[in-house]
Amino acid sequence: MTTSTTWIDQITMAELDRDPNPIYERLRREAPVAFVPAVGMHVVATRELCLQITQDSDTWSTVIAPSGGRTFGAGTVLASNGDRHRELREWIDPQLRPSAVDTYVEKLVRPQAQAILAKIEGLGAADIQAAYFAPVSVRAVADLMGLVDVPSDTLVRWFQTLAMSYGNAEVDALGNFVNAAPFEAGDKVKDEIIATVDPMLDHWTANPDHTLISHWLHDGMSDGEVRDRAEIYPNIYVFLLGALQEPGHVMTTTLAGLLQNPDQLEKVVDEPSLLPRAITEGARWVAPIWSAAVKVANHDVTIAGLELAAGTPVMLAYGSANRDESVWENPSAFDVDRPAMPHLAFGSGNHACAGTYLGTAIVRIALEELFETIPNIEPDPERAPQFWGWTFRGPQALHVLWEV
Ligand code: V55
């Protein structure tokens, strides 16, 4: 047994949440797979190793991060494998396929985006994250799910509380969670979600419609049967966190990147067909799900020279993989003119994001409408955006100004 402590042993959760990038830059160089005591797990820092692990589901099964499992409980698609995983994706995927999304996404997002902008365009200043991006993001996905009557501020509070619980990853030397309060706040929000959604499930049980949750109840079931609520709720939580939060994160991150680079902002505002490039770069630059995917070794395995015993979990840092200097030149710079190279913000392998196409379309439409309505948008020079988070990462606010 070794008693010497290394720089890796001294990494704190607070540092990771503030800015994981300098830490992971050093990990990529010195220890691409490393045990980090603060999070009680091995972390994987490079793109090549993240890809290798996600492509090899014989060696690596998927599990949920401990703080994620404490938050969502058992039964999420995030933690499933094999036949059960295929079954869950068969009921989640159909409404999210590009050919389906193209039939509804315009009507779902553009009018809501225009309505929110109409209320703020005369203000001349805003935290555009709170005033526009978060509301468009939650409205789009929650309406699709069928939660049209849940107010946007409630939905934002739900995803924020669930995210603080899911990201409450800090453990002590024995591997026990250090902070109870974020989990307890998450439990309260889940009670509130169940109280709100249960009557809707009663309604959809008798009256199937085109909403996602109604499909989840009925699709693949024999006549007169609906899927058990215990199977549905954990996946409702998955959507109420990730699917509601991340489009907003990518909108804010992409705009923050453009505002730091006025020449790039001007090009994109003048030529909105460049938006998909800018959005791809935003998702690469600061992956909104920065470090959440966990795999577990099915048998003893050697990776990056390290021998890991069967049952060892490893946390894939897609946010770090996306700044791998062996793949991207000057990776910490936001640059819409980069050569195309697939990033890992939507993961990879059989658990890759089901909402990639929908989420990207929501972000694109929100930014198209923003630049159409407020083409002269500028950063507030007094208030630079503060990025935060290790599990989920994005600017906490984005203060902007414009001439009215
Ligand atoms: C992830 C995705 C989620 C979520 C929590 O690891 C974690 C990915 C799509 O939603 O709520």
Side-chain angles (χ1 to χ4, degrees):
M1 190 175 153
T2 170
T3 52
S4 67
T5 54
T6 68
W7 70 276
I8 296 171
D9 298 331
Q10 281 153 33
I11 295 170
T12 66
M13 193 70 236
E15 275 178 292
L16 288 170
D17 278 328
R18 201 163 44 243
D19 188 1
N21 288 300
I23 293 167
Y24 277 80
E25 185 189 329
R26 190 164 171 195
L27 286 172
R28 288 194 297 275
R29 216 169 38 231
E30 296 181 14
V33 180
F35 184 80
V36 176
V39 297
M41 234 184 307
H42 287 79
V43 303
V44 180
T46 65
R47 182 174 192 276
E48 189 181 325
L49 291 170
C50 285
L51 280 172
Q52 181 187 320
I53 290 169
T54 55
Q55 301 310 310
D56 182 1
S57 56
D58 291 336
T59 303
W60 301 97
S61 292
T62 295
V63 291
I64 195 164
S67 52
R70 168 63 184 80
T71 303
F72 287 167
T76 66
V77 64
L78 301 175
S80 61
N81 288 283
D83 288 344
R84 179 60 181 158
H85 178 235
R86 268 187 293 278
E87 192 187 322
L88 279 158
R89 288 295 291 248
E90 270 165 29
W91 57 266
I92 289 170
D93 284 358
Q95 286 77 39
L96 302 179
R97 291 212 175 92
S99 58
V101 171
D102 282 339
T103 68
Y104 64 71
V105 73
E106 275 289 323
K107 282 177 294 204
L108 180 70
V109 186
R110 202 174 295 280
Q112 308 263 29
Q114 289 169 343
I116 299 167
L117 285 168
K119 287 197 203 134
I120 64 169
E121 68 173 311
L123 297 178
D127 166 7
I128 201 74
Q129 153 71 12
Y132 178 61
F133 291 145
V136 192
S137 179
V138 299
R139 229 13 325 133
V141 181
D143 287 358
L144 181 68
M145 291 171 77
L147 308 178
V148 288
D149 294 328
V150 184
S152 299
D153 52 356
T154 301
L155 295 163
V156 171
R157 180 170 52 78
W158 284 356
F159 86 58
Q160 287 175 341
T161 308
L162 291 173
M164 291 308 288
S165 175
Y166 198 111
N168 182 30
E170 185 178 5
V171 295
D172 63 20
L174 298 173
N176 297 313
F177 291 120
V178 170
N179 304 303
F183 294 136
E184 287 157 8
D187 291 341
K188 280 219 186 82
V189 155
K190 282 178 287 175
D191 289 344
E192 195 183 330
I193 291 167
I194 291 170
T196 305
V197 176
D198 257 344
M200 301 179 184
L201 294 175
D202 295 339
H203 171 79
W204 285 313
T205 297
N207 309 281
D209 66 16
H210 58 280
T211 61
L212 286 195
I213 298 176
S214 179
H215 277 292
W216 294 358
L217 273 174
H218 294 280
D219 286 5
M221 306 300 288
S222 49
D223 267 359
E225 301 273 314
V226 289
R227 201 165 266 109
D228 198 293
R229 290 176 193 200
E231 289 187 69
I232 294 193
Y233 270 115
N235 295 296
I236 288 179
Y237 304 148
V238 170
F239 271 60
L240 287 178
L241 198 185
L244 267 65
Q245 175 172 249
E246 305 324 336
H249 263 158
V250 177
M251 292 170 203
T252 316
T253 292
T254 301
L255 182 59
L258 290 169
L259 290 169
Q260 283 183 15
N261 295 276
D263 51 326
Q264 297 183 40
L265 175 65
E266 193 182 325
K267 265 166 82 172
V268 173
V269 171
D270 287 349
E271 188 42 78
S273 67
L274 292 175
L275 265 172
R277 282 267 79 240
I279 294 161
T280 298
E281 176 62 356
R284 182 204 66 82
W285 185 51
V286 182
I289 303 183
W290 207 94
S291 178
V294 182
K295 307 286 171 177
V296 63
N298 295 329
H299 50 74
D300 295 356
V301 63
T302 301
I303 184 151
L306 225 58
E307 288 172 33
L308 302 182
T312 304
V314 299
M315 167 83 81
L316 307 182
Y318 293 142
S320 174
N322 280 359
R323 291 195 179 199
D324 193 321
E325 36 291 283
S326 71
V327 181
W328 287 284
E329 199 177 312
N330 193 10
S332 61
F334 178 94
D335 180 1
V336 296
D337 289 323
R338 283 183 187 285
M341 170 61 69
H343 63 64
L344 287 178
F346 296 107
S348 166
N350 59 353
H351 276 267
C353 179
T356 301
Y357 189 83
L358 172 63
T360 305
I362 293 170
V363 174
R364 174 181 51 76
I365 295 168
L367 288 171
E368 283 169 1
E369 288 302 319
L370 177 69
F371 293 151
E372 172 73 27
T373 308
I374 308 177
N376 53 348
I377 194 163
E378 287 176 28
D380 181 339
E382 310 281 305
R383 289 193 279 186
Q386 301 290 320
F387 285 80
W388 189 88
W390 173 64
T391 303
F392 305 105
R393 189 164 183 80
Q396 289 183 297
L398 184 54
H399 294 278
V400 296
L401 308 171
W402 64 95
E403 297 273 336
V404 292

